Amino acid sequence: MRDVDAHPEMGVRNSQPAGIGRVVALGDGCAWNNLGRNVVFASRAFEPRAVFDQTQYPDDDELSQYDFDVHAILDVRDAGVVVVLNHLGILRGFRRSEIDAPGAVRRIDPVWMRTFAADVERVVAVGARLVGSRPREQRAGGVLVSEPVAAAADGTPLDAGVELGSWNMVTALDRFQVDGRDCIAVGGDGQVALAPIDGGHVGPLRWEVGVDFEPAAFAWDGRVLWAAGPDLGAAGIDDYDWEKLRGGGFAALQPSDGGAVLRSRFARDPAWGSGGTAVVVAPGVVCAIGRTGVLEVYGTHGGARRSPTVGLAPRSLGIAHAAVVGDTLLFGFNRGGYRLHAVPVSALAG
């Protein structure tokens, strides 16, 4: 394991506790959010290429924190932009070509700014549309499906409609293709379901199955849908009481009917939390990131548990945010300082 410079020097200054927000793989590179500070776009080798660090609220400590409390960083390839959505619902679009430009690290500005919905914790891009969970404060079911995002915009709010409104509050969300058709997986209240999506509408559920955990994360490996989450009952826990999110498990589900290929439980508590990613799937392994930075690894064939790694700290580092970037696991914590950690997947699989 090695430490990665999160590059927090360029950025806003406020009273936000130092930590990492979203971490995402982004085409040939990656991106992460230094909470309260900036958004960094980097190469696959984690070398910063561009940094966005301008707040709409330079004179307001609290609002500037929310401005850089990022809930999604998405590559909307159909529109040629990468969008960044924050806690306030502000959506910023960045030209993909500017993010990928070689050379010294530089400041980058959005080409447009719009609004989506505030407090949306799970968002994916399907074509040029955004699909997101409903605002958490509403505790409402279903998803929001937006109008298409464009390469240019006039600043008007992004129109969105509710789909699957009679379903549970969505706490896990992903998109992938089944038989050549775009589908979304939704999870909530101990249930996982799959539905096709076409244009701005979600079709009838193809299947719905129960799991013995509260869905918090999905991963599609091209063969099965992996679902993971803490113990049931997590939906009733306040977002700031993340230490109360305990245990949980994971399952590998067939995309055809939701049948379980594998079910298992976590031996230790992953670093669960609202909007976090405490469990990732890489070739051959399911990796759970613990509160102190311990990595618990399970085989994807049979679920056999392997020896855990040594922790990074003697205390809880908060909520984990992670992504598999190329052949490396990259992760940080919302209360672990402006630090990222990288581990080759081969080291975990070995």
Side-chain angles (χ1 to χ4, degrees):
M1 187 182 299
R2 67 183 177 94
D3 290 341
V4 173
D5 180 9
H7 206 76
E9 295 81 12
M10 296 171 63
V12 177
R13 295 297 186 269
N14 49 44
S15 60
Q16 168 70 45
I20 300 296
R22 299 301 195 268
V23 178
V24 301
L26 206 60
D28 292 330
C30 60
W32 60 82
N33 168 218
N34 286 303
L35 288 167
R37 288 285 179 92
N38 62 27
V39 176
V40 178
F41 301 97
S43 70
R44 186 167 287 196
F46 314 130
E47 298 163 337
R49 290 172 172 167
V51 177
F52 171 63
D53 65 350
Q54 299 298 310
T55 178
Q56 291 288 105
Y57 310 99
D59 300 319
D60 191 307
D61 182 88
E62 183 178 20
L63 287 178
S64 71
Q65 292 180 55
Y66 284 136
D67 202 4
F68 279 97
D69 176 4
V70 169
H71 285 204
I73 305 171
L74 300 169
D75 190 357
V76 187
R77 290 187 174 273
D78 286 12
V81 294
V82 171
V83 298
V84 175
L85 177 70
N86 69 13
H87 177 89
L88 300 169
I90 296 173
L91 185 71
R92 295 177 169 99
F94 299 85
R95 287 194 185 94
R96 195 73 168 83
S97 57
E98 291 185 12
I99 289 173
D100 291 338
V105 62
R106 63 206 177 279
R107 285 187 167 88
I108 189 173
D109 293 316
V111 293
W112 52 256
M113 186 169 66
R114 305 181 71 176
T115 55
F116 181 46
D119 200 21
V120 173
E121 291 289 356
R122 301 296 185 189
V123 192
V124 295
V126 181
R129 298 177 188 270
L130 303 187
V131 180
S133 55
R134 305 279 295 280
R136 279 186 65 83
E137 64 179 9
Q138 296 178 5
R139 300 284 167 174
V143 294
L144 296 173
V145 181
S146 80
E147 64 177 297
V149 171
D154 59 6
T156 58
L158 194 66
D159 187 44
V162 175
E163 297 285 320
L164 299 179
S166 62
W167 208 71
N168 307 327
M169 184 179 80
V170 171
T171 54
L173 177 67
D174 202 358
R175 56 85 53 193
F176 51 92
Q177 288 197 332
V178 178
D179 300 328
R181 189 173 184 185
D182 285 328
C183 292
I184 60 169
V186 290
D189 196 22
Q191 300 288 312
V192 175
L194 183 81
I197 181 168
D198 185 11
H201 299 287
V202 178
L205 298 181
R206 286 193 173 186
W207 50 258
E208 180 177 4
V209 297
V211 290
D212 61 352
F213 51 84
E214 193 66 59
F218 287 143
W220 169 248
D221 68 2
R223 185 180 61 89
V224 296
L225 173 67
W226 293 89
D231 290 339
L232 291 169
I237 295 174
D238 185 82
D239 288 352
Y240 288 94
D241 286 336
W242 55 71
E243 300 291 341
K244 294 181 180 179
L245 299 172
R246 310 297 297 272
F250 62 94
L253 307 175
Q254 292 279 15
S256 57
D257 59 6
V261 177
L262 174 67
R263 294 181 186 267
S264 189
R265 302 289 296 175
F266 293 114
R268 303 189 190 199
D269 296 336
W272 304 116
S274 180
T277 304
V279 176
V280 298
V281 177
V285 298
V286 175
C287 180
I289 304 163
R291 295 279 181 205
T292 62
V294 171
L295 303 182
E296 292 268 11
V297 180
Y298 303 80
T300 54
H301 300 287
R305 179 171 173 255
R306 301 172 187 179
S307 297
T309 65
V310 176
L312 298 170
R315 59 173 180 83
S316 173
L317 300 171
I319 300 170
H321 293 275
V324 177
V325 181
D327 59 359
T328 303
L329 169 63
L330 182 68
F331 67 99
F333 298 87
N334 76 324
R335 293 296 184 267
Y338 294 123
R339 291 186 293 274
L340 289 162
H341 315 280
V343 183
V345 170
S346 58
L348 299 174

